[in-house]
Amino acid sequence: MILSEKISKLVKDQEGWTRKMFEAGIRMKEEYGLENVYDFSLGNPEIEPPSGLRSRLIELLEHPVHGMHRYMPNNGYEQVREEIAAYLCRLSGLPFTALHVFMTAGCAGGLNVVLKAMLDMGDEVILPSPFFWEFKNYIENFGGVPIIVDTKEDFQLDVSLIEAALSEKTKAILINSPNNPTGAVYSRESLQELAELLERERRKGREIYIIADEAYRKLVYADAPLPNLFGLYDLVVSVTSHSKDLALPGERIGYVAISPQIAEAPLLVSGMMIAIRSLGFVNAPALFQRVAAEFQENSVSVDEYRQKRDLLYDTLMEAGFECVKPTGAFYMFPRSPLADEVEFVFKMQEEERILVVPGRGFGKEGYFRIAYCVPMETILKARPGFLRAGKRYIRRVRN
Ligand SMILES: Cc1ncc(COP(=O)(O)O)c(C=O)c1O
C-alpha cells in the first residue's frame, strides 16, 4: 500500500510486512484464482469455532437478558469476570476474583489498555525478538520505547541479554508464548531464570512487570506444556484472547488477567478503566463476553493444528530447510536459504505462488514466517512448491 503524505509519519512507519503480503495475496488470487495461490501470510484461522458456540449465541439472542445491549462497567460484566476468575483459580491455584479480570477487545485491545495504563513517556519495555510486529507499535502508541533483545538459536529467552538490557527506565518485559512468529513455547527453566532475575531487581527496589501475551495459550502440543507464569513471579499481567483458541478473531473478545499477588491491582484496574475509555473501546463486546465466560474450558482442535504442523515441518525437512520445530501456536520460522529473505519471499511468490512473510517483519532478518492455520489441502498443494524451492535454492547455496 502506498501511504500518502497526508498520513502521519508514525502510522506510515507502523505498516507491517504481514499486511503487505496479505494484500499481495488478494491481488494474486484475483489474477490466478483462489485455488492457485497458497497463502500462508496471515494468522487468520480457517477453523470454525467449537460446536455449541453458535447455538449458545442463538439461545442468547432468542432469550435475551434484559438490558444486555447497554453500557456496562468498563472492565466488563461482573458475572462474566467472576466466572473467568473461577477458571483462573482452577488453573493457577491463586485467589483470582472478578477484580483481577478485565474484559477487552481481543488481545490487541488488552495490550493497548495495559500499556496505556502503565507507560509514561520514555518508559522502556523489553521485547524478546523475533516478535509480533504490532508490539512495537503498541508500545510506541504511548510514548514507550521498545528495547529489542535477541532470543537464543532455538528462540528460547536469553536471560543474560535481558539482564544486560535493563535500565532505570525499564517498566516491563513483554513476552509472547506460544510465540508468533516462531511457534516456540518458552521453557519452564527460561521463565524461572527470568523470574529470578526480576525478583533480584525487585529486592533492589526496581519493580518490573511481565506482560505476557498468551493469545495462543491453548494451542500447545503435548510435548511442551505451557508453564503457569503466575506461579513463577508476582508481577504478572497476562493478556489473552479467544481469536485463536475459539477461532473468533472478528468478534474481538479477550481479557487481561492481573495476578492476585499484585498489591496495586485495584490501582492498575482503575488506570485501565480510564485507558479503555480514552482509547475509545469503552468496553469489550457485550454478547461475546457472555459466550467467552461459558467457553473457558473449550478450544478448537489442537490435534488438527498438530497434523498441519507435522505435514509442513516434514515437508520443510525433506526440502532441506533449517527450522526449529514449533511446539505451539500455528507458525513456523525457517531460515531463509538466501541471505536476503525479502528476495526469497518474493521468489516464492513469483515462482511458486506461495505467500510467506519476511523475518524482518518480526524483527529478525534471514528468516521467514509460515502461518499454517490454513486448510490441510493448501499445505498438500503447496508441498511440491516447497520441495522445488529447496532444490533450487538450498542445494545451490550448499554446493
Ligand atoms: C502474538 C499475538 N498477539 C496478539 C494478537 C492479536 O490478537 P487479537 O485478535 O486477540 O487481538 C495476535 C494476532 O495474530 C498475535 O499473534
Side-chain angles (χ1 to χ4, degrees), residues 9 27 80 93 97 100 139 143 146 191 206 215 231-232 234 271 279 290 297 300 304 312 329 333 350 356:
K9 186 169 175 322
R27 288 193 297 276
V80 166
T97 68
H100 303 105
I139 294 165
L191 292 169
R206 199 193 284 172
L232 293 176
D234 285 351
L279 285 169
R290 292 183 194 278
E297 306 275 1
V300 293
E304 209 174 310
L312 184 61
F333 204 58
E350 287 154 19
V356 291

Side-chain angles (χ1 to χ4, degrees), residues 97-115:
T97 68
L99 169 88
H100 303 105
V101 179
F102 196 114
M103 303 307 294
T104 59
C107 191
L111 285 169
N112 275 280
V113 168
V114 169
L115 291 166

Side-chain angles (χ1 to χ4, degrees), residues 18 42-45 104-111 131-135 138 175-181 213-216 239-244 248-255 329-331 362 369:
T18 306
L42 201 63
N44 194 9
T104 59
C107 191
L111 285 169
F131 58 90
F132 177 52
W133 189 253
E134 307 287 353
F135 288 165
Y138 299 162
I175 59 173
N176 167 222
S177 171
N179 185 268
N180 175 8
D213 175 322
E214 299 193 309
Y216 300 90
V239 187
T240 192
S241 151
H242 297 301
S243 293
K244 318 291 171 166
L248 293 171
E251 304 301 347
R252 313 307 306 133
I253 189 71
Y255 61 85
F330 40 60
Y331 304 103
F362 306 92
R369 188 193 75 171

Side-chain angles (χ1 to χ4, degrees), residues 25 32 37 44 51 62 66-67 79 91 106 126 149 151 173 175 184 188 214 218 239 246 256 258 260 314 364 390 398:
Y32 299 108
V37 178
N44 194 9
S51 62
E62 283 180 348
H66 185 67
Q79 198 196 329
L91 207 69
I126 294 180
V149 164
T151 48
I173 167 162
I175 59 173
R188 169 168 285 278
E214 299 193 309
K218 290 204 184 132
V239 187
L246 296 179
V256 180
I258 300 160
D314 291 348
K364 195 151 179 89
R398 289 200 178 139

Side-chain angles (χ1 to χ4, degrees), residues 2 74 97 103 119 128 139 154 192 194 205 213 281 285 313 398:
I2 311 286
N74 299 112
T97 68
M103 303 307 294
L119 294 184
I139 294 165
D154 59 357
Q192 181 87 50
L194 173 66
D213 175 322
F281 293 120
Y313 182 76
R398 289 200 178 139

Side-chain angles (χ1 to χ4, degrees), residues 158-306:
D158 190 330
V159 177
S160 56
L161 289 184
I162 294 172
E163 183 167 16
L166 295 178
S167 86
E168 286 308 312
K169 292 191 170 168
T170 310
K171 201 56 165 281
I173 167 162
L174 173 46
I175 59 173
N176 167 222
S177 171
N179 185 268
N180 175 8
T182 64
V185 175
Y186 293 154
S187 68
R188 169 168 285 278
E189 295 71 44
S190 67
L191 292 169
Q192 181 87 50
E193 206 189 328
L194 173 66
E196 282 163 11
L197 165 68
L198 299 184
E199 202 50 63
R200 284 198 300 278
E201 293 300 312
R202 216 176 157 198
R203 284 198 290 273
K204 289 189 235 158
R206 199 193 284 172
E207 299 226 305
I208 300 170
Y209 280 77
I210 295 182
I211 303 174
D213 175 322
E214 299 193 309
Y216 300 90
R217 55 187 310 281
K218 290 204 184 132
L219 304 185
V220 175
Y221 310 120
D223 36 358
L226 188 70
N228 166 28
L229 261 178
F230 293 114
L232 293 176
Y233 183 59
D234 285 351
L235 306 180
V236 172
V237 174
S238 157
V239 187
T240 192
S241 151
H242 297 301
S243 293
K244 318 291 171 166
D245 60 16
L246 296 179
L248 293 171
E251 304 301 347
R252 313 307 306 133
I253 189 71
Y255 61 85
V256 180
I258 300 160
S259 172
Q261 324 252 47
I262 299 178
E264 294 87 5
L267 279 180
L268 181 57
V269 172
S270 304
M272 287 166 63
M273 296 259 214
I274 299 170
I276 200 169
R277 288 201 302 274
S278 57
L279 285 169
F281 293 120
V282 184
N283 56 250
L287 196 55
F288 275 87
Q289 285 192 39
R290 292 183 194 278
V291 175
E294 292 172 23
F295 281 77
Q296 286 304 302
E297 306 275 1
N298 295 64
S299 155
V300 293
S301 163
V302 178
D303 222 43
E304 209 174 310
Y305 280 127
R306 187 188 294 106

